[in-house]
Amino acid sequence: MRPPARKHADRLAALLILTMAVVAMLSGARTGVPVWLGGLAAWAAVALMWPGLDRRQRRLSWGLIGIGLAALLWAGWQSGQWYWMGILTKNVTLLGMLAAVSFLQLLGLGGDDEAPPRGRGALWRTIAGVHAFGAIINLSAVFIMADRVAAGRTPSIAQLGALTRGFLGAALWSPFFAATAVALTNAPGATLGELAAAGIPLALVLIVLAARDLLREHDDGRDFVGYPMHLASLGVPLALALIVIAGHFVLSSWSTLAIITIAAPLMVSGIVIRRSGFGAGSAQLARHAVRRLPAMRGEMSLFLAAAVFATGLEALIASSGGWLPMTHVGAPQAAMVLAGMIVLCVLGIHAVISITTVAAWLAPLNPDPVLMAVVYVQCWAIGLAASPMSGIHLALQGRYGASGAEMARGNVRYSLQAYVAAVVVLFILAWWRGL
């Protein structure tokens, strides 16, 4: 039984996490509410939940915070500019979405009494399924499927690899992915149609590479336990996907994360109250908020510590000045830039930072916008799979206790193969564009 002080702290933390989610949603809805308010609530919640972290989580969080603050102080001392706001703004909208989709656990996914599918076919269907649904409902698809395949345990490296690879491949073409918005924003002149034309064929190739590599690595998939890809089990992600699609048409100014952040708990609330009645359903929702949200302490601490780390590295890059080793950006140069961006991802620099930095760095050369947009989404799809500090690996580490470094190492061979395929696409695209 929890001591009274711990119980009160968890209840206050739950309230702060709900506040963070509401602020993140309002910020993504372009209401003018500053996202840093949600950051303040998130940091306050982590402070209350800190005693509940295990030693490894505390050590990792302190390490990231220490490196980030050192880099931030050094960059500020060198340039006279202090980029501290990222500590309160980075990852807040993602954490708000994670808090919102946690309510989906109240629904279940159906098919709990049936034996989960196993073998090669289960692996192929899991990768294809998380790719298709992740392209629409983003990271929430990974958690819905991971909860199902894990069956209350930590998912295996093969299961985590299938989910992360399949999901990240959707960054190559999905209009609902942050990657697409970031790429098109930083490559003005490129269009979604051109990006998808280059991205969809590569996404299909990456699905094949992901599955073949896992089959080769894990005994031809004989013991792989996958997600049951039939209609009854797809009800929840399909319903949420349809809501997100409708939301993009009705609320076109809202971000995808904001739509999911409000859609997931509203959908769950309606179903739970209809199923159990207003009183009992409301009690279920309240219990989930008080018990499950404070259990996010692992995800919260890792994401906020990573925000400090990324803010410090971004400040270092911004204060280091510019240098151009090339006079033209064609396929060979784009391939080298992509390799460098993937390495930066592996070192812990988020793809968003790499993309915005490279875009500003190469702007004097006026590179082809379509070529650069494709490089940017390729960096997102491949680099985050190989990075122990990527958002998806941090989320899975915080939620299931899996090692981010082990997940990233498991994706190294796949990422090298994916890079080769991406370079082939870049050369074809450069030839098509006459570069």
Side-chain angles (χ1 to χ4, degrees):
M1 183 176 179
R2 293 179 299 170
R6 180 75 264 144
K7 186 181 296 185
H8 292 319
D10 283 351
R11 286 178 177 175
L12 181 55
L15 180 60
L16 288 167
I17 294 172
L18 288 173
T19 302
M20 173 201 69
V22 171
V23 171
M25 183 271 294
L26 292 174
S27 176
R30 313 291 191 263
T31 61
V33 175
V35 72
W36 61 262
L37 290 175
L40 287 175
W43 278 105
V46 166
L48 289 169
M49 298 183 296
W50 188 264
L53 295 174
D54 62 40
R55 182 176 300 178
R56 186 181 68 171
Q57 290 171 325
R58 293 186 192 182
R59 187 164 54 243
L60 178 57
S61 296
W62 276 126
L64 293 173
I65 291 172
I67 294 172
L69 288 178
L72 192 60
L73 291 171
W74 175 262
W77 181 66
Q78 291 290 317
S79 66
Q81 297 180 346
W82 302 92
Y83 302 89
W84 58 270
M85 184 57 78
I87 294 174
L88 295 178
T89 58
K90 292 184 184 300
N91 294 336
V92 173
T93 54
L94 180 56
L95 284 171
M97 186 272 287
L98 291 177
V101 300
S102 74
F103 284 86
L104 291 169
Q105 297 171 14
L106 293 173
L107 300 183
L109 290 177
D112 293 335
D113 296 331
E114 67 175 288
R118 293 175 178 269
R120 293 172 57 93
L123 188 146
W124 281 98
R125 289 192 296 272
T126 298
I127 294 176
V130 76
H131 181 90
F133 283 101
I136 300 171
I137 61 177
N138 286 261
L139 197 56
S140 52
V142 176
F143 292 122
I144 291 171
M145 294 189 175
D147 284 345
R148 180 67 175 86
V149 302
R153 299 182 296 272
T154 300
S156 69
I157 289 299
Q159 290 171 326
L160 293 170
L163 292 172
T164 55
R165 298 175 191 186
F167 169 71
L168 289 172
L172 294 166
W173 61 271
S174 171
F176 302 129
F177 247 74
T180 304
V182 172
L184 295 178
T185 299
N186 287 277
T191 66
L192 178 60
E194 292 167 323
L195 191 61
I200 290 176
L202 180 58
L204 296 175
V205 171
L206 295 194
I207 289 174
V208 173
L209 291 177
R212 291 185 61 184
D213 182 68
L214 288 169
L215 290 171
R216 187 182 304 114
E217 182 73 18
H218 298 280
D219 196 25
D220 203 35
R222 291 186 180 89
D223 296 324
F224 183 87
V225 179
Y227 187 84
M229 297 298 294
H230 53 72
L231 190 58
S233 295
L234 296 177
V236 171
L238 180 60
L240 188 53
L242 293 175
I243 292 173
V244 171
I245 292 173
H248 270 283
F249 287 103
V250 178
L251 306 169
S252 57
S253 64
W254 288 37
S255 69
T256 299
L257 291 181
I259 294 173
I260 295 174
T261 301
I262 191 172
L266 284 179
M267 182 182 74
V268 171
S269 298
I271 294 174
V272 169
I273 290 174
R274 182 180 178 183
R275 184 173 61 193
S276 303
F278 182 80
S282 299
Q284 280 184 263
L285 295 167
R287 279 196 302 272
H288 177 88
V290 172
R291 295 177 182 176
R292 177 63 188 99
L293 294 185
M296 289 180 60
R297 59 179 63 90
E299 295 115 297
M300 295 276 293
S301 62
L302 282 173
F303 271 106
L304 292 180
V308 180
F309 179 78
T311 300
L313 290 183
E314 185 177 9
L316 277 181
I317 293 172
S319 64
S320 63
W323 172 67
L324 289 171
M326 61 189 81
T327 58
H328 166 74
V329 181
Q333 294 82 5
M336 289 189 292
V337 169
L338 175 61
M341 295 174 75
I342 292 173
V343 170
L344 289 177
C345 287
V346 173
L347 294 176
I349 300 177
H350 195 279
V352 171
I353 299 171
S354 299
I355 291 169
T356 54
T357 302
V358 167
W361 184 48
L362 297 181
L365 300 181
N366 294 314
D368 181 75
V370 178
L371 181 67
M372 294 313 301
V374 171
V375 168
Y376 297 155
V377 294
Q378 289 177 345
C379 165
W380 198 293
I382 301 170
L384 297 190
S387 171
M389 295 301 300
S390 65
I392 186 170
H393 285 152
L394 288 175
L396 292 171
Q397 180 173 331
R399 191 178 185 97
Y400 303 108
S403 168
E406 188 177 359
M407 286 186 282
R409 282 196 301 271
N411 286 333
V412 167
R413 185 169 62 186
Y414 158 75
S415 297
L416 291 174
Q417 296 171 351
Y419 173 74
V420 173
V423 170
V424 172
V425 170
L426 292 178
F427 272 85
I428 295 173
L429 180 62
W431 169 78
W432 177 51
R433 301 285 292 178
L435 302 177

